[in-house]
């Protein structure tokens, strides 16, 4: 089935004119999005990885999504309306009238230089017909490779999504933008039992293309994690250095996102430093909506504001806050395109796109082998704790965690002078948020992105001053 | 004031003859092992944010269809965000793998008009809830977001069409200086807002108190909290796909999970008035399903695919989050049958223990059977019933241990414990009716 193409900007402007005429709104904006997804789900039936791939209960879905959202109003009255299907014709807005606007307000970004229509392609129907076969081949390949490494592993659940979307936006302030995106994600749950010990792991990976997901690398990661998850607990855990893999580094950075966006985040970040540097001089934390080769890459955000790289932490000091156009000029800082919609039904919200700790030239291997006596933590335990608190919570806060602290349950290795002394199936890494940043001693060269939501990236990190304790 | 939810449903979703798509689907089956099903859906969410919010009124409408082929336990689904003959024909072609699979001309499919918007009840929610709080002689700042959810579903499975289904319910999110309360309500009438005010005042009284640390010998769970516990450790645990993680789902039938006082039923027909279902999201008639009968497993929750794999299972519990998701076995309306003990007696034998009125979070690990339940506050039980307030409490235990700890069930069931179940990232409304229960010998973890 060939979907209808996205409407042109001219059609959107005609629709906006009709909306303004009927409602009396001083401003209006239309956002139209279309996409298609091929989804392969493996039913939960604890399939052994060595089983015949044809025995997998693969459920296939071919999904076409299309919808639009209208924002209309002014200083005192406003409306948000979203609907599925194609955009109505200009005479299809008859249901709207002056009473459709309710108390509320609407502000829209003004057109700036550089907000000309983006040449991004309409990728809504670019999925090849063999995407489904490629997806199944990927899963079969992954299971085969994992079976070679760890035959006792069992697939609990799997989901592979591969698709493309395109969007077009126009407003009465003159903003227009087009964007397109391709994305493939895989979410896998595996379990294994060894010597009476049970363990499981969950992986969620994304790439801009199904062929970039890499079955061999993912199979290797799963085998590594299942081996650790089913290992006996170590007799002791050394205090001192902790190296964290890019996967766990991404989770730690994701915990810090409330510090790294908006005016409130900026205030908290400044307070965290308390007059001292936030981290070592080599620490750079960046958010970049237009990152080359990033799977969220877009020239404009979902309100048509140009994206750019924002150095949130520069040389270990607070750099600039991530501000939306509404806060442009706040404390002398410039805004960036950073308001995104989770779908056509959603309003744009301030969020990161590619948030990452920039890598350095130090090799990750030298960081791991340089651990004198400590732990190398590979990944979080998916059913364990992973949270941080930023303000005192009276009720509704996570557990007993004090203000400005974090805790993450992880799997890893105990290392002494580069040699693995033992495996740690479940440890709890805790500490203050301040120490998490100020305790960074080395940053590797193996920057890697994970879906968080958005994309969060980190290289291997060497951390000091944090607590590690065995759990369970 | 009478309930605003008690009113006739809107016109059926499909105004054209449902026999037409049913007939088209019957032409698709190449052999007897193939089943085809069409799922038509219409959703409307009206959201009113607190005063001062930008775009305070938010209206979301959507409709679409999905066509599914089921063959030897495997599904193939094609979905589109529009309801029309050509979209239906295109989805049929995709699942059949051929063009013009249902003939040269697409069938005629028409939809009825959307129900009237009726904003007044949502606009009055804030003042009604404020009055309900004030009746308890307290007042505090609240930011209230009110939503009304409507869902119309029509399932056509060749050669028959199930009756059209309509659900209407409300959700509230109340932000106070000491936390956020969220939940589902069958209506925004005073009788449904009053328990919300009760929860908010409980949280006010327990604000700033430290987490409850030591393990009490006895815990009494109010109807809301009991419903959440049973949702996690009975309903989720007995969904066929959850059971499939650890073996054949039908092997649990007859297994003893709790004491003889535990009779638990899942009955979508007994859900609150505007949320009752007569058929599930696969078009199968729903039944009153005994999950536990005198503490033993009787009938796990199953959909068509699991019933096909495990012949002892009865379908009728399929739910789907949207046309873009495959159906799966899920609970809809859970009931714990009342016992014989008056509630006052339940407390009389629990002095020194802890009363928990609500859990705001619950989670069951399907692989190891461990359950975590979190209450934002509780109350110490004195000689006359619940007295002093306590801080947050977290209960970590194995599901079987939680059920084994239930020693008494009160005699007065109440509707409560409704909320969003977010299993597999697909939120769905769930309802319950439970009496209070008493647990003994549980551990309260940090």
């Amino acid at each position: 089935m060939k979907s209808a193409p996205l409407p042109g900007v001219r059609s959107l402007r005609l629709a906006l004119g009709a909306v303004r005429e009927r409602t009396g709104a001083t401003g209006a904006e239309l956002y139209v999005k279309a996409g298609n997804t091929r989804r392969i789900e493996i039913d939960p039936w604890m399939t052994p990885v060595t089983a015949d791939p044809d025995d997998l209960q693969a459920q296939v879905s071919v999904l076409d999504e299309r919808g639009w959202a209208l924002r209309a109003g002014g200083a005192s009255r406003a409306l948000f309306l979203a609907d599925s299907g194609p955009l109505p014709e200009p005479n299809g807005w008859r249901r709207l009238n002056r009473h459709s606007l309710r108390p509320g307000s609407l502000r829209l970004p003004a057109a700036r230089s550089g907000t000309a229509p983006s040449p991004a392609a309409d990728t809504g129907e670019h999925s090849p017909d063999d995407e489904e076969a490629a997806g199944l081949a990927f899963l079969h390949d992954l299971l085969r490779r994992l079976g070679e490494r760890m035959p006792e592993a069992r697939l609990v659940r799997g989901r592979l999504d591969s698709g493309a979307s395109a969007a077009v936006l126009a407003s009465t302030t003159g903003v227009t933008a087009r964007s397109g995106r391709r994305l493939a994600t895989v979410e896998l749950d595996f379990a294994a039992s060894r010597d009476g010990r049970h363990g499981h792991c969950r992986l969620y990976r994304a790439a801009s293309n199904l062929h970039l997901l890499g079955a061999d690398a993912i199979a290797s990661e799963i085998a590594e994690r299942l081996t650790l998850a089913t290992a006996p607990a170590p007799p002791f855990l050394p205090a001192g250095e902790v190296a964290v893999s890019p996967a766990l580094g991404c989770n730690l950075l994701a915990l810090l996102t409330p510090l790294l966006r908006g005016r409130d985040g900026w205030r908290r970040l400044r307070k965290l430093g308390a007059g001292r540097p936030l981290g070592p001089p080599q620490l750079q934390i960046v958010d970049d909506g237009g990152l080359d080769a990033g799977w969220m890459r877009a020239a404009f955000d979902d309100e048509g504001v140009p994206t750019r790289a924002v150095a949130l932490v520069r040389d270990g000091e607070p750099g600039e806050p991530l501000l939306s156009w509404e806060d442009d000029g706040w404390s002398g800082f410039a805004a960036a395109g950073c308001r995104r919609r989770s779908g056509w039904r959603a309003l744009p919200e301030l969020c990161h796109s590619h948030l990452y700790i920039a890598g350095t030239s130090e090799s990750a291997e030298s960081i791991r082998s340089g651990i004198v006596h400590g732990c190398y933590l590979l990944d979080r335990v998916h059913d364990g704790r992973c949270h941080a608190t930023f303000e005192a919570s009276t009720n509704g806060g996570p557990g007993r965690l004090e203000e400005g602290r974090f805790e993450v349950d992880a799997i890893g290795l105990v290392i002494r002078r580069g040699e693995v002394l033992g495996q740690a199936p479940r440890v709890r890494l805790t500490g203050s948020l301040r120490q998490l940043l100020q305790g960074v001693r080395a940053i590797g060269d193996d920057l890697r992105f994970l879906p968080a939501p958005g994309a969060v990236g980190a290289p291997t990190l060497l951390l000091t001053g944090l607590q590690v304790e065995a759990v369970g | 004031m009478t309930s605003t939810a008690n009113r006739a449903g809107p016109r059926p979703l499909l105004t054209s003859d449902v026999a037409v798509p049913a007939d088209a689907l019957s032409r698709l089956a190449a052999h007897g092992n193939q089943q085809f099903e069409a799922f038509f859906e219409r959703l409307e969410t009206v959201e009113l944010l607190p005063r001062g919010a930008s775009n305070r009124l938010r209206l979301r409408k959507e409709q679409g269809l999905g066509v599914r082929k089921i063959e030897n336990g495997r599904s193939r689904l094609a979905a589109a965000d529009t309801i029309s003959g050509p979209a239906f024909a295109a989805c049929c072609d995709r699942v059949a793998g051929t063009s013009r699979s249902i003939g040269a001309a697409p069938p005629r499919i028409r939809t009825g008009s959307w129900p009237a918007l009726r904003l007044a009840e949502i606009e009055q929610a804030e003042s009604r809830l404020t009055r309900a709080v004030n009746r308890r002689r307290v007042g505090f700042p609240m930011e209230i977001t009110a939503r009304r959810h409507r869902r119309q579903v029509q399932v056509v499975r060749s050669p028959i069409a199930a009756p059209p289904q309509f659900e209407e319910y409300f959700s509230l999110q109340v932000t106070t200086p000491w936390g956020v309360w969220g939940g589902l309500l069958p209506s925004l009438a005073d009788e449904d807002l009053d328990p919300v005010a009760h929860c908010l005042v409980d949280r006010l009284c327990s604000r700033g108190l430290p987490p409850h640390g030591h393990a009490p010998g006895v815990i009494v769970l109010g109807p809301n909290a009991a419903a959440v516990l049973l949702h996690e450790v009975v309903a989720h645990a007995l969904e066929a796909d959850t059971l499939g993680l650890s073996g054949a789902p039908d092997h649990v039938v007859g297994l003893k999970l709790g004491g003889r006082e535990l009779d638990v039923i899942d009955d979508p027909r007994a859900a609150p008035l505007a949320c009752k279902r007569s058929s599930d999201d696969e078009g199968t008639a729903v039944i009153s399903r005994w999950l536990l009968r005198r503490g033993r497993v009787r009938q796990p929750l199953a959909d068509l695919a699991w019933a096909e794999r495990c012949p002892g299972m009865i379908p009728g519990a399929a739910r789907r989050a949207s046309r873009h998701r495959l159906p799966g076995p899920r609970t809809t309306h859970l009931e714990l049958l009342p016992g014989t003990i008056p509630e006052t007696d339940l407390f009389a034998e629990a002095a020194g223990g802890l009363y928990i009125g609500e859990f705001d979070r619950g989670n069951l690990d399907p692989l190891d059977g461990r359950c975590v339940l979190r209450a934002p506050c509780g109350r110490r039980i004195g000689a006359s019933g619940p007295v002093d307030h306590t801080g947050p409490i977290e209960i970590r235990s194995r599901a079987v241990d939680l059920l084994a700890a239930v020693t008494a069930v009160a005699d007065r069931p109440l509707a409560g414990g409704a909320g969003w179940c977010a299993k597999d990232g697909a939120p769905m409304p769930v309802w319950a009716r439970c009496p209070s229960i008493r647990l003994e010998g549980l551990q309260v973890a940090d």
Side-chain angles (χ1 to χ4, degrees):
Chain A
M1 180 172 73
K2 177 74 179 170
S3 298
L6 280 178
V9 169
R10 188 169 171 274
S11 302
L12 265 64
R13 285 190 175 136
L14 283 172
L16 287 171
V19 168
R20 285 181 71 178
E21 189 181 312
R22 295 203 59 81
T23 62
T26 53
E29 174 205 75
L30 266 169
Y31 174 82
V32 185
K33 187 172 185 181
N36 61 73
T37 304
R38 285 196 182 250
R39 175 174 297 157
I40 300 172
E41 290 170 278
I42 307 296
D43 255 14
W45 192 257
M46 299 296 277
T47 316
V49 287
T50 49
D52 180 354
D54 290 335
D55 289 344
L56 283 180
Q57 291 286 336
Q59 321 285 345
V60 179
S61 303
V62 186
L63 313 170
D64 274 322
E65 297 187 63
R66 173 176 286 263
W68 53 268
L70 165 73
R71 290 196 288 168
S76 60
R77 299 180 77 76
L79 169 73
F80 173 78
L81 173 62
D83 202 347
S84 59
L87 189 69
E89 296 294 320
N91 63 359
W93 301 93
R94 289 188 301 272
R95 287 194 168 198
L96 291 182
N97 55 43
R98 288 173 190 278
H99 302 293
S100 302
L101 303 184
R102 296 285 172 142
S105 60
L106 173 70
R107 287 182 63 206
L108 295 170
R112 306 168 185 212
S113 57
T115 52
S118 162
D122 178 347
T123 55
E125 276 291 331
H126 285 190
S127 291
D129 287 343
D130 62 354
E131 196 106 357
E132 180 184 328
L136 282 169
F138 167 82
L139 288 171
H140 291 167
D141 189 28
L142 189 147
L143 292 177
R144 183 178 60 78
R145 290 169 189 270
L146 182 59
E148 290 167 3
R149 292 176 170 90
M150 198 175 196
E152 65 270 34
R154 298 171 81 84
L155 173 61
V156 176
R157 212 184 292 259
R159 188 164 124 171
L160 178 70
D161 279 356
S162 171
S165 67
V168 59
L169 167 90
S171 78
T172 52
T173 58
V175 172
T176 59
R178 277 181 173 273
S179 62
R181 185 171 298 152
R182 291 184 63 77
L183 188 65
T185 62
V186 63
E187 197 170 359
L188 298 160
D189 278 15
F190 279 89
S193 296
R194 288 194 310 158
D195 303 327
R197 290 182 297 273
H198 306 287
H200 49 278
C201 78
R202 176 177 296 168
L203 245 74
Y204 184 35
R205 299 289 181 261
S208 53
N209 189 311
L210 179 62
H211 304 290
L212 297 176
L213 279 172
D216 192 52
I218 293 176
S220 171
E221 284 188 81
I222 293 165
E224 195 173 42
R225 282 154 177 72
L226 284 177
T227 304
L228 288 174
T230 52
F236 70 96
L237 280 173
E241 297 166 311
V242 177
V244 299
S245 71
L248 187 58
C250 290
N251 281 292
L252 291 172
L253 182 59
L255 284 181
L256 298 177
T257 51
L259 295 174
L260 301 173
R261 62 181 175 221
R263 299 196 292 191
D264 289 346
W266 182 250
R267 290 190 192 103
R268 289 169 174 170
L269 193 70
R270 303 273 300 192
K271 190 177 159 192
L272 196 68
R276 295 177 55 198
L278 281 171
Q282 69 268 35
L283 180 65
Q284 323 283 342
I285 302 179
V286 181
D287 185 69
D288 186 357
L291 184 73
D292 283 342
W295 67 71
M296 305 279 292
R297 182 173 180 242
F300 306 100
D301 73 356
D302 289 335
E303 285 188 313
V305 179
T307 57
R308 65 180 177 87
V310 179
L312 303 161
V313 175
R314 187 185 295 125
D315 302 334
E317 302 276 0
E320 58 175 319
L322 185 67
L323 298 176
S324 73
W325 63 270
E326 285 183 299
D327 292 326
D328 191 25
W330 178 77
S331 293
F333 294 111
C338 58
R339 301 236 298 187
R340 299 192 176 277
R341 305 178 195 239
S342 57
W344 57 262
R345 302 169 188 83
L347 280 152
E349 288 184 358
L350 180 68
C351 59
H352 299 105
S353 44
H354 303 97
L355 173 69
Y356 64 96
I357 298 174
T360 66
S361 57
E362 187 168 358
S363 90
E365 185 51 42
S366 73
I367 292 175
R368 285 191 290 267
S369 59
I371 298 174
V372 177
H373 199 188
C375 294
Y376 174 55
L377 302 183
L378 261 82
D379 206 349
R380 63 168 290 212
V381 179
H382 81 264
D383 59 346
R385 296 189 180 186
C386 184
H387 52 236
T389 55
F390 301 92
E391 289 170 348
S393 170
T394 52
N395 271 349
R400 294 172 161 188
L401 206 55
E402 293 168 22
E403 182 183 352
R405 294 185 68 82
F406 78 97
E407 55 184 11
V408 175
D409 289 353
I411 54 170
L413 300 164
V414 180
I415 292 182
R416 185 171 191 177
R417 297 194 191 285
E419 282 186 29
V420 176
L421 285 188
Q423 295 158 321
R426 197 180 185 108
V427 298
R428 184 164 294 162
L429 179 68
T430 58
S432 71
L433 297 172
R434 179 176 293 140
Q435 185 59 35
L436 176 61
L437 292 171
Q438 291 180 344
V440 175
R441 287 292 169 268
I443 299 172
D445 60 353
D446 53 344
L447 172 63
R448 185 174 175 200
F449 283 90
L450 295 181
V456 176
T460 296
L461 303 170
L462 182 64
L463 309 172
T464 56
L466 302 176
Q467 291 79 51
V468 182
E469 59 177 323
V471 182
Chain B
M1 190 194 136
T2 55
S3 166
T4 51
N6 186 3
R7 61 188 67 187
R11 296 179 66 192
L13 172 54
L14 299 186
T15 51
S16 54
D17 187 359
V18 291
V20 175
D23 181 51
L25 291 175
S26 66
R27 290 200 294 273
L28 282 174
H31 50 80
N33 284 345
Q34 292 183 343
Q35 285 189 66
F36 288 86
E37 159 204 291
F39 176 81
F40 299 89
E41 175 187 54
R42 177 180 269 180
L43 304 170
E44 181 200 89
T45 306
V46 183
E47 181 179 27
L48 190 68
L49 276 78
R51 290 177 208 283
S54 63
N55 288 107
R56 189 174 170 229
L57 177 67
R58 299 173 184 183
L59 172 59
R60 295 178 176 90
K61 297 156 78 175
E62 58 182 287
Q63 60 183 21
L65 63 92
V67 175
R68 184 167 67 123
K69 178 175 80 172
I70 312 163
E71 186 176 10
N72 299 326
R74 297 187 192 193
S75 289
R76 187 175 179 83
L77 168 74
D81 276 355
T82 181
I83 296 180
S84 67
F88 174 76
C91 288
C92 288
D93 289 352
R94 280 189 160 169
V95 294
T98 58
S99 60
R100 298 185 175 185
S101 58
I102 56 169
R108 187 167 172 269
I109 297 176
R110 302 192 66 175
T111 54
S113 55
W114 290 83
L117 206 51
R118 287 198 346 252
L119 286 175
E121 59 193 339
I122 304 175
E123 289 172 331
Q124 291 164 9
E126 183 175 349
S127 58
R128 282 199 190 131
L129 182 59
T130 304
R131 279 203 300 273
V133 168
N134 292 344
R135 279 197 293 273
R136 289 171 164 76
R137 298 182 182 179
V138 291
F140 44 82
M142 294 187 288
E143 288 191 342
I144 298 167
T145 299
R147 298 183 187 92
R148 187 188 59 221
H149 309 263
R150 285 169 169 168
R151 181 172 185 252
Q152 281 180 278
V153 167
Q154 172 74 64
V155 181
V156 179
R157 202 167 76 228
S158 172
I160 53 160
Q165 304 292 310
F166 175 69
E167 295 165 78
E168 179 179 286
Y169 53 93
F170 298 82
S171 62
L172 275 187
Q173 181 177 302
V174 186
T175 305
T176 63
W178 41 88
V180 179
W181 181 93
L184 295 188
L185 303 171
S187 81
L188 293 176
D190 288 345
E191 66 262 29
D192 288 314
L193 288 173
D194 210 48
V196 179
H198 185 83
C199 290
L200 291 171
V201 173
D202 267 353
R203 292 188 181 202
L204 166 77
C205 297
S206 64
R207 69 193 188 284
L209 294 175
H212 194 279
H214 69 274
V218 185
I219 298 175
V220 174
L221 300 183
N224 284 336
V228 175
L229 181 144
L230 293 173
H231 175 83
E232 297 297 337
V233 304
V234 176
H236 272 325
L238 294 182
E239 287 162 353
D241 55 345
T242 306
L243 293 167
L245 297 175
S246 51
D250 42 1
H251 286 180
V252 299
V253 175
L255 198 69
K256 185 170 165 53
L257 285 186
R260 293 177 61 82
E261 53 280 330
L262 283 177
D263 286 318
V264 184
I265 292 172
D266 181 73
D267 188 357
R269 298 173 307 180
L273 197 58
C275 309
K276 288 182 194 296
R277 299 288 303 262
S278 62
S279 64
D280 71 355
D281 286 342
E282 289 179 321
T284 310
V286 299
I287 56 169
S288 179
R289 187 183 300 257
W290 285 94
L291 299 176
L292 293 185
R293 178 82 167 128
R294 298 193 182 278
R296 289 188 185 276
V297 177
R298 279 286 287 270
Q299 188 55 248
L301 294 153
D303 59 0
L304 280 174
W306 285 98
E308 193 175 297
R309 287 185 206 176
C310 311
M313 290 197 168
I314 302 171
R319 298 185 73 185
R320 50 206 300 177
S322 82
R323 58 200 171 274
H324 297 297
R325 300 290 296 260
L326 288 164
R330 300 278 284 267
T331 176
T332 300
H333 178 254
L334 205 61
E335 284 187 71
L336 172 63
L337 299 194
T340 53
I341 303 173
E343 197 151 282
T344 47
D345 293 359
L346 207 66
F347 286 112
E349 295 173 25
L354 195 67
Y355 172 74
I356 297 175
E358 55 162 343
F359 289 118
D360 62 354
R361 220 172 296 162
N363 180 52
L364 173 74
D365 187 322
L367 287 176
D368 63 12
R370 275 186 290 195
C371 182
V372 181
L373 298 164
R374 188 184 177 282
C377 57
R379 295 180 78 172
R380 195 174 57 77
I381 299 173
S384 57
V387 283
D388 312 326
H389 285 84
T390 70
I393 306 134
E394 195 170 88
I395 295 177
R396 290 172 177 265
S397 179
R398 293 194 309 154
V400 287
D401 293 340
L402 277 165
L403 286 176
V406 178
T407 55
V409 178
D411 63 351
R412 197 167 59 97
L414 290 174
W420 293 108
C421 167
K423 182 183 172 186
D424 294 338
M428 289 183 199
V430 289
W431 308 94
R433 184 174 179 82
C434 287
S436 297
I437 58 175
R438 191 175 65 220
L439 292 86
E440 294 180 45
L442 261 186
Q443 292 298 308
V444 176
D446 65 358

